[in-house]
Amino acid sequence: MARRPLLAATSALGAVLLLTLSGCGGSGTAASTKTSDVVMEGEQLDAMVAQVNKMGIMEWHGQLLTKNPDNGGKRIFDLDGRYSPSTGYSELSMDSAIDGKVEQVDYLVVAGRTYFNSEVWGPNAANCWVDITDDQEGRSWALPSDLDPTWPVTAARAIRLSGDGVAVGIPAEEVLTGMPRGLFPEVPAGLKDVEAKGVVTQHGTHFIEVSVDVLNMWNDVPEDALADIETRKAGWWAMTMKESQDGNPIAPPKYIFDPAKTPPSQCKRG
């Protein structure tokens, strides 16, 4: 099915903000020296928290890789989402290549109900949804337990400045509930006081970039608890978030059908 025009963030994940300050002075004039105030890591993180708290409809892109992309990490799946803080409504699409199977699935979460759409239904079913709120049958695999995508900023603890960004520690529970629930349907025991290391960077007033090292988060989990956790399921989480500029609200599904009674190709008549 055709994808919705969500955040095109794949190239943005590697975006670099360059700021060049130059000063010049003419002959016979005193040279002008410009200095900038140093913003400490706590203040810089607080500014980003304030920024995301002011956003309206938020567009975000998340990507799970096997490890740091700078070290050859490979993509596992991508998530593109829109989230409304005022209503809690969310729309989300996942592209995955898990176990070599390429697939796209879409979700709508509106007024406490969860709806599902699959690309295998074909283009004629692009606006057709199944209500899976009471019978999710594993189809909510890619849906985060916590739909609010701001967790890498709002739940973070500032550690130090890192380039143009802030190195942070993020509680393990927040990391796992912010990623697809299929990875960890429940937060494993033994994660109390465990943090994932990450970096959050602000680019302008509407764009934030995040990286979270989930792979090495497990190093701080007690060995007895680690034995029961499938750590291979999560490696490196890369993410961007920005405020939507079009302001289009997240709308309820246009067509709802029961695939047990109506073929997806005929769902608009169901």
Side-chain angles (χ1 to χ4, degrees):
M1 62 180 287
R3 297 199 61 166
R4 294 170 182 75
L6 299 175
L7 174 58
T10 302
S11 61
L13 288 171
V16 178
L17 181 67
L18 297 179
L19 177 62
T20 302
L21 298 177
S22 60
C24 58
S27 175
T29 64
S32 172
T33 301
K34 295 185 178 180
T35 60
S36 61
D37 293 333
V38 176
V39 179
M40 301 305 291
E41 59 269 15
E43 296 175 76
Q44 194 163 330
L45 182 60
D46 287 345
M48 284 188 274
V49 171
Q51 178 182 335
V52 298
N53 285 340
K54 291 189 298 184
M55 288 185 180
I57 299 293
M58 183 178 301
E59 297 176 353
W60 64 276
H61 175 88
Q63 186 178 64
L64 186 67
L65 303 103
T66 53
K67 58 183 177 180
N68 187 334
D70 293 337
N71 296 326
K74 299 184 183 299
R75 181 182 77 94
I76 299 174
F77 59 74
D78 289 273
L79 293 174
D80 281 289
R82 298 179 78 237
Y83 174 74
S84 170
S86 62
T87 63
Y89 294 178
S90 184
E91 59 182 5
L92 190 146
S93 293
M94 179 187 77
D95 279 326
S96 74
I98 299 172
D99 298 326
K101 180 182 178 182
V102 178
E103 183 181 14
Q104 180 191 330
V105 295
D106 297 318
Y107 301 93
L108 272 175
V109 181
V110 175
R113 308 299 295 180
T114 302
Y115 304 92
F116 173 89
N117 177 287
S118 173
E119 68 171 356
V120 300
W121 296 346
N124 290 335
N127 294 314
C128 300
W129 300 87
V130 176
D131 188 334
I132 61 171
T133 307
D134 302 317
D135 185 20
Q136 301 194 12
E137 298 180 352
R139 287 180 292 190
S140 64
W141 192 100
L143 202 64
S145 298
D146 182 359
L147 294 170
D148 185 342
T150 64
W151 57 268
V153 178
T154 56
R157 175 181 65 88
I159 297 176
R160 65 181 182 279
L161 296 177
S162 177
D164 293 329
V166 180
V168 297
I170 306 170
E173 295 95 332
E174 301 287 346
V175 174
L176 297 188
T177 57
M179 295 195 304
R181 67 183 66 176
L183 293 170
F184 297 95
E186 297 179 356
V187 176
L191 295 186
K192 182 177 175 59
D193 299 326
V194 173
E195 290 184 332
K197 298 298 187 289
V199 177
V200 292
T201 306
Q202 180 175 352
H203 299 294
T205 58
H206 296 286
F207 188 86
I208 290 177
E209 182 180 5
V210 175
S211 63
V212 182
D213 185 359
V214 186
L215 185 65
N216 286 307
M217 180 180 77
W218 312 115
N219 295 338
D220 297 325
V221 178
E223 289 188 11
D224 57 340
L226 192 62
D228 297 324
I229 301 176
E230 293 187 55
T231 59
R232 64 180 179 82
K233 286 187 174 181
W236 188 273
W237 181 252
M239 184 174 176
T240 59
M241 61 186 84
K242 72 172 185 177
E243 185 172 22
S244 175
Q245 299 302 295
D246 61 27
N248 290 334
I250 295 173
K254 189 171 183 180
Y255 301 103
I256 302 174
F257 76 109
D258 182 350
K261 300 178 181 179
T262 306
S265 61
Q266 303 294 317
C267 67
K268 297 174 185 177
R269 302 176 187 176

